[in-house]
Amino acid sequence: MSFQVTYSGSIHLPDHQYWLDPRHPVPLAFISHAHFDHFSAHQHAHASQPTAHLISCRTDLSTTIDAWPWATPQTINTGLQATLYPAGHVLGSAMIELNDGHQSLLYTGDFKLRDSLTAEKAAPPRADILIMETTYGLPHYVMPPTEKTVRQILDFCRATLEDDETPVLLAYSLGKTQELLARLTPHLDVPFYLHPQAYKIAQAYEQLGYALGSYAEIPHSYKKRGEAVILAPPQMNGTAWMKNIPARRVALISGWALDPGAIYRYRCDAAFPLSDHADYNELLELVRMVKPRRVYTVHGFAVEFAETLRQLGIEAWALGQENQLDFFEQYQSKRRPNFKSLSLPSRKKIIAREPDPETFLAFAQAAEEIAELSSKKSKVRVLAQYLAKLSSTTLPLAALYFSGRVYPTASSRTLNFSWSLMKRAVLEVAECTESDFKEIYRSAGDSATTTECLLEGKTKSEPWPLTQVAQWFELISNTSGSLQKVHIAANTLRCITPLEAKYLSKLVTGDLRLGLKEGLVEEGIAAAFSQPLRLVREALLLCGDIGRVALAAQNNSLPEVTLQVFNPIPFMLATPLPTAASIIQHMGQELWAEYKYDGIRCQIHKQGARVELYSRELRCITDTFPEIAIDAASLPFDFIADGEVLGWQQGRPLPFTQLQRRLGRQEHDLFLGSEIPVALILYDCLYWEGESLLHRELRERKAFLSRLAENPRPTILVAQEKILRGEAALEAFFQQARLEGHEGLMIKNPRSLYTIGQRGQFWIKYKQPFNTLDVVVVAVQYGHGKRRGMLSDYTFAVRDDDGQLHVIGKAYSGLTNREIEALTQHFLATTIREEEGRLIVKPTVVLEVAFNAITPSSRYPCGLALRFPRIVTIRHDKTPEEIDTLSFCRSLAYKASGSES
């Protein structure tokens, strides 16, 4: 006799009139566990003792349930013998073995083989027929070690609490919540609050002898922040109940977190792959353990997993898929099932192959893992492990890409490929419209993740070595014509995974956003190759190429990286002090003072007839100021010097607003040279005739500049220092500097070394305090990254004499997350309309905004814009009628420009 199995939404054994986990009421059923979708109001049912208890706690069903002990054969009224074995899914979840005297059938229900703190260990017996759930029946559903995921969840909770926010973990009320309590409460000394559904079940677990740590039902109208961890069912996300929790940061705890874009699909801030279901490896392991002659698959990826088993020589098909029965005949031959192929080593070959570390997929996977970590130390550790695997060919590329760049800082190369072109390629491959993109973007929060979501299922992956990625960037950079670039990008996207497309988009936009700043990349390089971090950082400052530094670290040759001409290095920075008295207190009575120039910081490199000028961002600006390069080329020395480009006329600086007109201009004909003349004023020397001066004192370095002063050129000047004594002399020299049109003073320690890229206490800047304006917010936009979902970008305005508002700037820095969250709620309630991606709001919120200057600008209709605006505070004490006026702004701009018209 053979078991007859039918399936019409539920599994039925018609010869015995017995149902397995039916979702509709039947006369006689087996209930594998107490999740709502696995039981109904049956007339009579069988279940494990813990499951019967949990069902009684969850519902008031009138079903008669026979509560059976483990591994104890029971007889069903049809003469069928049944035995229950733990399934490991949740507390009380059971597999049932049915034996009719001729053969045995094992039905798993939901199961997992991994160890659990709150569920019995799975113990599947041998059987002739296996009916198994296959929720995660695809190869990429391989769960990471539970301990690793728990550490990530703990890091998420700690980081959220430290930010004075409330971590909310979305987890099923039965099973996942209790497992999280058991694993998290010993490590976090804060209250754990549960949704009422989860609290009721946790109490039932306690009654069954499972200690879950300290927890309580969430108080009504809970409004605190940063003081507790909250666990709630996933279906509560987005509800009014959830929205009442202030300053929340939401994480999904689910195996579906392995899917690309899970946080956007489920609208949460983080997603961690922890599941009560068997992953792909465990599905294969179960078949190996049970050694059935025939396998039926059900739920999830049943068709795909059955096909995998058939490829291994095991008769298998998916229940409810009639076409699967067509495969039956070809497996009726005496083909022996290849259970050995399901042993762990073979399974790794089938489904757990890690990508070649030299490929872009391995880079993307490492980047994704780093992005999900909260701890900086963990980020560095993962990065170091990845970099250590790479060859000398791919290591420089990976290090460069992890710093978020396509070309080194010192390189003048550009990609010449805008995000708009990349998006056209994405839309072409995804076969969707701009409106589709915007719809996904609202949830995703950034363009790269939107790309990943749109390309899911639309691409076919082929190995893409990092060396070919570099070639792709070169091809894009060298290709002229937008259509050709889009065509190249689209062809590439069709051949890579959505995850790779995500990180390609991030590199194209220069916005990697892994929480992995360049300093942590340096730490990763140092850790990967056991090098002193100091040497790694010094080498990077000197050459500006993190790929070259990584290779030097790998080759143990970091000391050989030295300062070179045409490799610009980060500038030494100064620390501001507010008063002459504070400067005297810090620097002493005798001071070395220079004018502080209001221009463009410039590093000049000269070797032979070649001269290059570099900006503060280390961008080449030689073509913007060709007259300076021409004058410098005629000097008889090779050197690198630090200084400032000023608008300069008749021995006096021009206002910065006039110099701005020359920025970014290609002026080979010098047509603006006579209208807006410039000069480069040098105040430090870093390299002279083949020798680095970085380890010499400032007074020695300045001595080399005197050689340039002895060879005067019209556009190249040398700053003169003045020795001052006491506060009065300092104030007098400051006023002289202001009268001559300069920002203020620089006070320098003559014995200081040139500290590359650092803001130390050896250079002090003393200048006029910043101005502030009171303005009113008229439009807001959603932020990105950690501020995704919060209205954190504010467009503001001043009023004219008639009370009309005029936009004069935009700011997004200066407020705390708590202030931004409160303002978000206010702006959502006072929105007038949506316009071009921003919300136009009622002008009610007054801000005090600091700025460096007010400059003429065509950006806004009023003709003015604030330079470097940032928010000082929210002026709760002021009304929109009390904000500053447009005429006052014009007067400030007039004073700054020195106009006499």
Side-chain angles (χ1 to χ4, degrees):
M1 184 177 178
S2 175
F3 280 104
Q4 183 182 358
V5 180
T6 65
Y7 183 83
S8 56
S10 297
I11 302 169
H12 186 212
L13 306 180
D15 292 337
H16 303 279
Q17 287 303 302
Y18 196 52
W19 297 80
L20 306 176
D21 277 337
R23 300 187 181 186
H24 57 283
V26 299
L28 183 63
F30 165 67
I31 301 173
S32 66
H33 62 283
H35 278 145
F36 279 126
D37 59 342
H38 282 260
F39 65 85
S40 186
H42 311 306
Q43 294 178 24
H44 201 102
H46 305 137
S48 72
Q49 292 172 342
T51 294
H53 177 75
L54 290 169
I55 290 175
S56 69
C57 291
R58 301 195 79 182
T59 71
D60 55 0
L61 290 178
S62 59
T63 300
T64 300
I65 300 179
D66 290 339
W68 290 347
W70 300 117
T72 303
Q74 307 287 330
T75 301
I76 300 175
N77 57 16
T78 59
L80 195 64
Q81 189 178 72
T83 308
L84 300 189
Y85 297 92
H89 174 57
V90 297
L91 179 59
S93 61
M95 302 179 180
I96 186 169
E97 180 197 13
L98 299 170
N99 196 310
D100 63 0
H102 300 280
Q103 60 180 350
S104 59
L105 179 150
L106 179 68
Y107 167 66
T108 66
D110 293 340
F111 78 97
K112 74 172 182 295
L113 302 181
R114 300 184 302 282
D115 289 337
S116 169
L117 299 182
T118 56
E120 304 87 349
K121 174 73 174 176
R126 295 278 296 273
D128 300 309
I129 298 172
L130 172 63
I131 303 177
M132 62 185 297
E133 66 108 344
T134 51
T135 299
Y136 294 121
L138 292 182
H140 75 273
Y141 289 113
V142 177
M143 303 296 162
T146 300
E147 293 74 16
K148 175 182 176 181
T149 303
V150 170
R151 285 197 301 270
Q152 293 174 348
I153 297 171
L154 285 168
D155 287 344
F156 169 83
C157 292
R158 290 181 180 122
T160 303
L161 293 166
E162 286 173 5
D163 289 342
D164 199 25
E165 296 180 333
T166 300
V168 180
L169 307 182
L170 300 179
Y172 287 121
S173 298
L174 169 58
K176 193 77 62 62
T177 291
Q178 292 73 37
E179 185 72 13
L180 287 172
L181 284 174
R183 291 186 180 273
L184 301 183
T185 52
H187 303 287
L188 291 174
D189 188 20
V190 296
F192 278 74
Y193 291 137
L194 308 189
H195 183 273
Q197 292 179 14
Y199 178 77
K200 186 176 182 180
I201 298 171
Q203 291 290 286
Y205 268 58
E206 297 273 2
Q207 294 167 12
L208 291 169
Y210 284 82
L212 304 178
S214 177
Y215 63 91
E217 185 174 351
I218 186 168
H220 181 67
S221 299
Y222 181 76
K223 292 296 183 183
K224 294 182 180 180
R225 49 188 299 155
E227 296 183 9
V229 176
I230 296 175
L231 284 83
Q235 64 267 26
M236 300 308 297
N237 199 23
T239 65
W241 183 90
M242 180 71 79
K243 291 178 180 177
N244 281 331
I245 302 172
R248 65 193 175 276
R249 197 177 296 176
V250 182
L252 174 72
I253 314 299
S254 170
W256 301 116
L258 292 171
D259 284 338
I263 61 174
Y264 309 107
R265 185 172 295 110
Y266 299 103
R267 297 178 181 272
C268 53
D269 299 292
F272 301 102
L274 187 68
S275 178
D276 288 329
H277 288 268
D279 70 2
Y280 188 84
N281 280 1
E282 291 174 285
L283 296 178
L284 291 170
E285 179 69 11
L286 179 79
V287 177
R288 187 191 67 78
M289 295 169 69
V290 176
K291 292 183 169 58
R293 291 187 294 103
R294 184 182 307 163
V295 178
Y296 295 98
T297 58
V298 65
H299 304 315
F301 297 98
V303 173
E304 294 83 352
F305 191 72
E307 171 62 22
T308 296
L309 294 180
R310 288 194 298 273
Q311 291 175 0
L312 296 169
I314 299 168
E315 179 189 330
W317 60 82
L319 287 176
Q321 302 290 329
E322 294 302 323
N323 60 311
Q324 292 284 307
L325 301 179
D326 296 338
F327 293 101
F328 180 75
E329 293 299 328
Q330 62 179 303
Y331 289 98
Q332 294 307 298
S333 62
K334 295 182 179 179
R335 203 175 160 195
R336 295 186 62 186
N338 184 12
F339 292 111
K340 287 186 178 180
S341 65
L342 293 173
S343 62
L344 189 57
S346 295
R347 283 189 288 128
K348 284 188 174 179
K349 292 179 183 177
I350 297 168
I351 54 88
R353 256 180 298 180
E354 291 187 3
D356 182 343
E358 308 282 304
T359 63
F360 192 57
L361 179 58
F363 170 88
Q365 289 181 345
E368 192 79 346
E369 182 177 359
I370 290 168
E372 292 173 356
L373 296 170
S374 302
S375 162
K376 291 182 180 180
K377 289 183 179 179
S378 298
K379 289 177 185 287
V380 170
R381 174 178 50 77
V382 172
L383 176 61
Q385 291 171 350
Y386 167 73
L387 295 177
K389 299 176 184 177
L390 301 180
S391 68
S392 59
T393 303
T394 55
L395 173 63
L397 298 173
L400 177 63
Y401 299 158
F402 267 116
S403 69
R405 298 186 178 91
V406 171
Y407 297 112
T409 306
S411 172
S412 60
R413 294 290 306 275
T414 58
L415 195 57
N416 296 319
F417 188 55
S418 66
W419 164 244
S420 63
L421 297 182
M422 184 68 174
K423 183 165 71 171
R424 285 168 58 183
V426 171
L427 295 179
E428 178 183 327
V429 176
E431 299 177 337
C432 64
T433 65
E434 178 73 27
S435 60
D436 296 326
F437 187 95
K438 289 181 179 178
E439 181 65 28
I440 298 294
Y441 184 89
R442 287 191 185 97
S443 298
D446 68 73
S447 300
T449 307
T450 304
T451 294
E452 180 185 25
C453 294
L454 288 174
L455 294 181
E456 187 66 34
K458 299 293 181 74
T459 68
K460 186 176 182 180
S461 174
E462 297 176 4
W464 199 23
L466 280 170
T467 51
Q468 291 185 13
V469 178
Q471 293 169 7
W472 186 85
F473 286 131
E474 287 296 303
L475 178 61
I476 287 290
S477 178
N478 295 327
T479 298
S480 58
S482 299
L483 290 178
Q484 291 91 330
K485 289 177 184 282
V486 171
H487 178 71
I488 293 169
N491 285 343
T492 299
L493 291 174
R494 291 188 179 96
C495 299
I496 62 178
T497 65
L499 182 65
E500 289 173 285
K502 173 182 179 177
Y503 283 94
L504 185 65
S505 297
K506 284 177 174 285
L507 289 173
V508 163
T509 58
D511 190 14
L512 198 59
R513 290 199 184 207
L514 301 180
L516 192 71
K517 296 181 179 179
E518 192 166 67
L520 295 186
V521 179
E522 297 165 9
E523 290 186 38
I525 292 171
F529 305 108
S530 302
Q531 296 290 332
L533 180 57
R534 176 185 59 81
L535 290 183
V536 172
R537 287 180 168 163
E538 185 174 300
L540 180 59
L541 290 171
L542 289 170
C543 74
D545 184 346
I546 199 163
R548 178 183 166 194
V549 171
L551 191 59
Q554 187 184 55
N555 296 334
N556 199 29
S557 59
L558 286 171
E560 298 174 17
V561 179
T562 58
L563 179 63
Q564 294 182 342
V565 182
F566 308 123
N567 262 350
I569 63 174
F571 294 82
M572 182 173 177
L573 304 175
T575 298
L577 286 179
T579 64
S582 62
I583 293 173
I584 294 293
Q585 183 178 5
H586 179 76
M587 301 290 283
Q589 288 292 325
E590 185 169 295
L591 305 171
W592 175 315
E594 300 172 354
Y595 288 152
K596 185 184 187 310
Y597 305 104
D598 186 16
I600 299 297
R601 192 82 180 264
C602 180
Q603 197 174 110
I604 181 171
H605 291 232
K606 193 264 182 185
Q607 187 173 57
R610 180 185 172 189
V611 174
E612 301 291 356
L613 308 177
Y614 300 96
S615 69
R616 180 188 293 268
E617 296 79 23
L618 308 186
R619 179 174 51 88
C620 184
I621 55 173
T622 311
D623 288 343
T624 305
F625 307 109
E627 64 267 56
I628 296 176
I630 292 170
D631 278 355
S634 66
L635 290 168
F637 314 108
D638 293 340
F639 62 91
I640 299 174
D642 184 3
E644 197 107 359
V645 175
L646 303 178
W648 192 262
Q649 193 170 43
Q650 297 179 351
R652 284 183 62 89
L654 297 174
F656 182 81
T657 53
Q658 295 192 38
L659 178 65
Q660 275 186 312
R661 294 172 56 191
R662 292 196 56 168
L663 301 184
R665 301 292 294 268
Q666 303 296 312
E667 305 172 41
H668 297 291
D669 60 352
L670 304 182
F671 75 95
L672 280 180
S674 57
E675 182 182 345
I676 308 173
V678 295
L680 172 59
I681 301 182
L682 302 176
Y683 42 70
D684 212 328
C685 191
L686 317 182
Y687 173 97
W688 188 268
E689 293 288 309
E691 179 191 354
S692 170
L693 307 181
L694 294 178
H695 299 293
R696 293 201 185 197
E697 294 181 355
L698 174 61
R699 53 190 172 191
E700 295 181 69
R701 301 196 303 272
K702 288 281 295 224
F704 288 94
L705 289 183
S706 64
R707 306 279 296 277
L708 298 180
E710 293 168 2
N711 291 266
R713 297 294 186 273
T715 63
I716 299 178
L717 309 174
V718 175
Q720 299 301 311
E721 67 277 3
K722 185 172 183 178
I723 307 302
L724 306 173
R725 289 184 178 276
E727 185 175 334
L730 177 58
E731 282 288 10
F733 193 43
F734 175 80
Q735 295 303 324
Q736 178 183 330
R738 295 290 295 170
L739 288 172
E740 293 185 19
H742 301 296
E743 270 193 312
L745 298 178
M746 294 293 298
I747 314 301
K748 299 180 179 179
N749 185 333
R751 302 186 61 183
S752 61
L753 305 182
Y754 195 91
T755 54
I756 306 171
Q758 296 181 32
R759 189 183 304 279
Q761 297 292 317
F762 300 109
W763 288 11
I764 302 298
K765 54 185 174 183
Y766 179 35
K767 62 180 184 178
Q768 197 76 4
F770 294 131
N771 292 308
T772 65
L773 289 176
D774 291 330
V775 299
V776 67
V777 179
V778 295
V780 293
Q781 291 174 272
Y782 282 101
H784 301 277
K786 288 186 176 180
R787 291 184 172 177
R788 179 178 60 82
M790 291 194 288
L791 294 168
S792 59
D793 293 8
Y794 308 133
T795 299
F796 49 79
V798 293
R799 61 181 178 85
D800 63 18
D801 294 335
D802 296 325
Q804 298 297 311
L805 297 178
H806 297 268
V807 172
I808 198 169
K810 179 179 177 181
Y812 53 85
S813 63
L815 297 182
T816 66
N817 283 346
R818 180 178 294 184
E819 290 173 321
I820 293 171
E821 184 172 306
L823 286 179
T824 296
Q825 300 304 317
H826 173 83
F827 289 135
L828 289 174
T830 57
T831 297
I832 300 172
R833 65 183 183 278
E834 186 172 355
E835 183 180 282
E836 298 180 351
R838 62 180 184 166
L839 303 181
I840 307 301
V841 298
K842 292 180 181 178
T844 58
V845 175
V846 177
L847 303 176
E848 182 181 0
V849 176
F851 57 93
N852 284 29
I854 299 180
T855 62
S857 172
S858 59
R859 182 184 308 170
Y860 304 118
C862 70
L864 298 176
L866 301 191
R867 186 181 178 209
F868 302 132
R870 58 266 187 210
I871 302 168
V872 176
T873 188
I874 305 171
R875 294 301 301 265
H876 297 289
D877 59 321
K878 287 201 171 186
T879 66
E881 291 72 28
E882 297 176 278
I883 63 174
D884 283 308
T885 63
L886 183 60
S887 58
F888 176 64
C889 295
R890 284 177 174 150
S891 70
L892 292 179
Y894 171 82
K895 291 176 183 176
S897 67
S899 172
E900 296 179 358
S901 59

